[in-house]
Amino acid sequence: MPRLTAAVVPAGSLGRAEQPVLPACDLLLRPWAEADAGVLLTAFADPAIQHWHARTVESRQEAVELITRYNQGWRTNTAAHWAITGPEVLGRIALRVIDLDEGCAEIAYWVTPAARGRGAAVRATVALSEWALEDLGLHRLDLHHSVANPASCRVAEKAGYGYEGTRRSAYLHSDGWHDMHLHARIRGDA
């Protein structure tokens, strides 16, 4: 079916090139490697990460498979995942649900206990947002978090994501359905 508008970002824009390493102040965002499987296994054993996410990783093999899916998302232009490093892996940041035609994606992150309270999530979110909006050319980035997660709300606000509303009973966590705050950043936002 023909489109009435041009794609915001040309099809294949991610997979045609190598996934970049992005500076984030004193941190680097780099693609995940199979050698990071142990970090994923440890991170997903953290009760806070388990609480706010719908999945777990229970073996090294599962971690390797997850890294493979992370990297496949780049090649298929559907997602892009980076390890937040400084120099050890401090967390994950990603563009999920990428729609190049519409020029939008959802940003998601988690950080290890050692990185919490140090601003790593904010610096990574700012760096990835600037790359996605300015270099890749996306128009809009959404950021969702549980209303019961004030730390994630602070990350969104400090990273320049304006609050747009509450999505009622929008995400199933291990303890039941959570209302979710929706924040967004649009290309050209200050």
Side-chain angles (χ1 to χ4, degrees):
M1 188 177 328
R3 289 183 54 89
L4 295 175
T5 59
V8 175
V9 178
S13 289
L14 297 179
R16 280 196 295 262
E18 290 294 315
Q19 185 174 348
V21 173
L22 304 173
C25 298
D26 58 329
L27 306 174
L28 282 179
L29 312 181
R30 64 156 173 83
W32 286 89
E34 189 173 319
D36 299 321
V39 173
L40 279 181
L41 192 56
T42 300
F44 277 92
D46 174 55
I49 290 175
Q50 286 183 359
H51 182 75
W52 300 120
H53 293 83
R55 91 172 39 197
T56 187
V57 176
E58 297 182 345
S59 70
R60 179 171 171 70
Q61 182 59 37
E62 285 181 3
V64 168
E65 291 168 2
L66 183 57
I67 290 167
T68 299
R69 284 196 304 275
Y70 284 173
N71 294 330
Q72 184 178 22
W74 180 266
R75 291 188 301 275
T76 60
N77 296 277
T78 57
H81 302 262
W82 283 265
I84 303 168
T85 64
E88 71 281 2
V89 176
L90 301 172
R92 168 193 162 257
I93 190 155
L95 296 174
R96 301 177 42 207
V97 196
I98 296 173
D99 185 332
L100 297 177
D101 284 345
E102 299 295 325
C104 58
E106 178 184 336
I107 198 159
Y109 49 81
W110 54 256
V111 293
T112 63
R116 292 184 192 136
R118 296 175 33 194
V122 172
R123 293 192 306 277
T125 301
V126 168
L128 181 54
S129 300
E130 290 173 357
W131 176 83
L133 295 169
E134 302 305 323
D135 296 343
L136 180 58
L138 294 179
H139 174 71
R140 178 186 173 93
L141 296 174
D142 288 342
L143 189 158
H144 301 93
H145 67 80
S146 170
V147 298
N149 188 346
S152 201
C153 198
R154 285 189 299 276
V155 169
E157 291 168 348
K158 288 178 179 179
Y161 280 73
Y163 172 73
E164 292 193 343
T166 301
R167 297 176 60 225
R168 297 179 308 121
S169 196
Y171 196 84
L172 182 60
H173 288 283
S174 60
D175 62 347
W177 289 98
H178 283 232
D179 291 351
M180 302 293 282
H181 277 171
L182 169 62
H183 298 259
R185 191 163 160 186
I186 308 295
R187 188 180 335 150
D189 281 352

